[in-house]
Amino acid sequence: MRILIVEDERDLGAAVQERVRLDGHAVDWFMTLEDARAAIATVDYDFMLLDLGLPDGNGRSLLREIRSTSSDIAILITTAEDQISDRITGLSEGADDYIVKPYDLNELVARIAAVARRYATPRRQVHYRIGEITIDRENRSVSRNGRVLDLTAREWAIMELLSRSPGRIHSRQQIETALYALEHDVDSNTVEVFISRLRRKVGNAVIRTIRGRGYCLDEKNGS
């Protein structure tokens, strides 16, 4: 998934960013509402970790803005506010979950996974089969003829992105966005390199190249 962290505590933000990246997600981290709004305007995020007490305002204002639109981004509030009334307010305004600081990073990634599963639709089914390949979105794995493949975090990020909408064409830019944080440079042939590596593992027929447009999973062979 592409995850946005909005957290002004520098040490905590860095720790969360590293832990979530280790779990195989692409992560952007910002410390103010202004920067978060700018990021949301340019990137299609799947998930947001939203602190409430930020230097330029309360995170609930951003929560309300997002929920007033058609955006289906999942939002988990992270805050030091531990009163039941605070939690109820955040959930009633559209948050999907709430975790109180200080929290365990392993619990945080477990909550992210739980919320993400609730957002899954029939189109974004947990298991998807393409010929010999099975993509298990819940356990974040890909197997071929029953044997689990050894994918890198970035290879999984591509498969996870493509499997959200099998048959839908994803542009090179969309794949780059899934792979890297905003501040990182991307070589011109990076996507092609990872697609080539993936095809060696999953088979050439699984990922189709649509010339001039991008890549997709071969939906006609999927189930």
Side-chain angles (χ1 to χ4, degrees), residues 118-219:
R118 295 205 298 268
Y119 267 71
T121 64
R123 182 63 173 169
R124 295 168 65 177
Q125 54 192 308
V126 173
H127 296 89
Y128 188 78
R129 297 194 61 181
I130 306 175
E132 302 172 345
I133 299 299
T134 300
I135 302 169
D136 184 342
R137 293 170 54 84
E138 181 173 8
N139 293 308
R140 304 168 57 78
S141 67
V142 178
S143 57
R144 185 172 187 177
N145 289 326
R147 181 178 64 86
V148 176
L149 301 176
D150 183 18
L151 300 187
T152 67
R154 287 174 177 168
E155 289 168 350
W156 165 252
I158 293 175
M159 290 298 290
E160 195 272 341
L161 173 66
L162 298 179
S163 68
R164 294 179 198 172
S165 302
R168 174 186 171 189
I169 300 170
H170 292 79
S171 68
R172 184 217 290 248
Q173 183 178 6
Q174 288 173 318
I175 296 174
E176 289 172 351
T177 299
L179 289 176
Y180 294 99
L182 290 175
E183 68 271 14
H184 290 174
D185 293 330
V186 179
D187 294 335
S188 60
N189 65 342
T190 296
V191 170
E192 287 80 358
V193 169
F194 281 109
I195 292 291
S196 177
R197 292 177 184 174
L198 267 175
R199 282 176 169 152
R200 287 199 293 270
K201 296 179 180 182
V202 303
N204 289 330
V206 173
I207 301 174
R208 295 178 58 201
T209 299
I210 311 300
R211 180 166 299 196
R213 299 179 64 189
Y215 302 90
C216 68
L217 295 185
D218 191 358
E219 188 179 31

